[in-house]
Amino acid sequence: MDRHMIVYRGSLKSCNYQCSYCPFSKHRASERELAKDKEQWLHFVRTFEERAEELHMHALMVAPYGEALIHSWYWEGLARLSALPQTDAAGAQTNLSFSVKKALKDYIREDGIQEKLRLWATFHPEMTSAADFAEKCRQIRSEGISICAGAVGVPENLPLIRLLRKELPEEIYLWVNRMDGMRRAYTPEERNAIL
């Protein structure tokens, strides 16, 4: 039997961070936009709960154009989906700007299964330090949650990304996304710094 994963984008297009290179930091969501996003996400969760077995959906990744995990309804939905017996994994892309302790308390209160939670965490050097970001990654990993970490390959930030690799535990995978809109190729030195 085929097993499928679904990526959920949704209508969220705002972020609580203000990174200079990112278009989503320029938009502040209105209450109306957030209410619409919540309604759409919870409708999706209900549909997934009802049809996941029939459609052989066994995993979900929330990858919004912005930051979802600062909103409690995403934690509620991820918890509900992780609790389904047919779900192997439920995860999200995040900047880790939430309180790990509070978020996991909310997740567990909604019967979320920590071993099924997956986080794809993006380091934003303009908004947090490598040490603080790595500490949150360690906290999450210590709870039995699978996490990988990474950053956008902004050339000026490559020394900070190298520092992050040193700060992170070895078992946490570190990825680097190519920077869009750079209008030039990476230099050999920059490529070597990333590899």
Side-chain angles (χ1 to χ4, degrees):
M1 177 189 319
D2 288 337
R3 299 165 72 79
H4 304 288
M5 181 181 118
I6 190 165
V7 176
Y8 179 85
R9 281 274 190 212
S11 63
L12 186 70
K13 290 182 173 56
S14 62
C15 184
N16 59 326
Y17 275 3
Q18 300 292 309
C19 301
S20 61
Y21 57 85
C22 179
F24 308 113
S25 68
K26 314 298 186 278
H27 177 72
R28 286 283 161 250
S30 68
E31 290 300 316
R32 185 175 175 192
E33 288 171 315
L34 290 175
K36 176 184 174 186
D37 180 67
K38 179 179 180 178
E39 180 184 340
Q40 290 174 337
W41 165 243
L42 294 178
H43 174 75
F44 170 83
V45 170
R46 286 190 301 274
T47 303
F48 193 103
E49 287 171 325
E50 292 164 5
R51 302 200 57 206
E53 191 167 8
E54 166 198 348
L55 298 174
H56 310 295
M57 293 295 177
H58 293 271
L60 161 86
M61 173 61 87
V62 177
Y65 294 111
E67 178 55 37
L69 295 188
I70 57 172
H71 304 294
S72 60
W73 56 89
Y74 280 97
W75 286 103
E76 176 191 342
L78 288 172
R80 285 168 51 185
L81 297 179
S82 75
L84 295 173
Q86 67 269 25
T87 303
D88 297 326
Q93 179 180 358
T94 179
N95 61 23
L96 296 185
S97 59
F98 53 86
S99 160
V100 172
K101 186 176 181 179
K102 181 186 179 312
L104 292 181
K105 185 178 176 183
D106 292 346
Y107 180 79
I108 292 164
R109 186 183 64 240
E110 295 290 338
D111 298 323
I113 299 173
Q114 288 178 224
E115 295 76 19
K116 291 185 181 182
L117 184 59
R118 307 285 186 268
L119 295 179
W120 168 14
T122 306
F123 173 53
H124 295 77
E126 294 178 22
M127 303 304 296
T128 189
S129 70
D132 288 346
F133 183 85
E135 176 56 29
K136 281 198 168 184
C137 290
R138 280 192 293 275
Q139 288 173 21
I140 289 164
R141 191 71 199 100
S142 73
E143 296 290 339
I145 295 163
S146 181
I147 184 170
C148 68
V152 175
V154 178
E156 298 77 28
N157 292 339
L158 294 178
L160 293 171
I161 295 170
R162 284 196 304 274
L163 175 61
L164 176 62
R165 175 65 276 169
K166 290 178 186 171
E167 294 277 349
L168 285 171
E170 245 180 68
E171 70 270 13
I172 295 180
Y173 181 78
L174 179 68
W175 48 266
V176 179
N177 273 356
R178 185 178 66 83
M179 182 179 172
D180 289 334
M182 199 164 61
R183 297 194 178 106
R184 68 168 177 85
Y186 285 106
T187 66
E189 294 77 18
E190 289 165 349
R191 280 197 307 275
N192 287 337
I194 292 170
L195 298 177

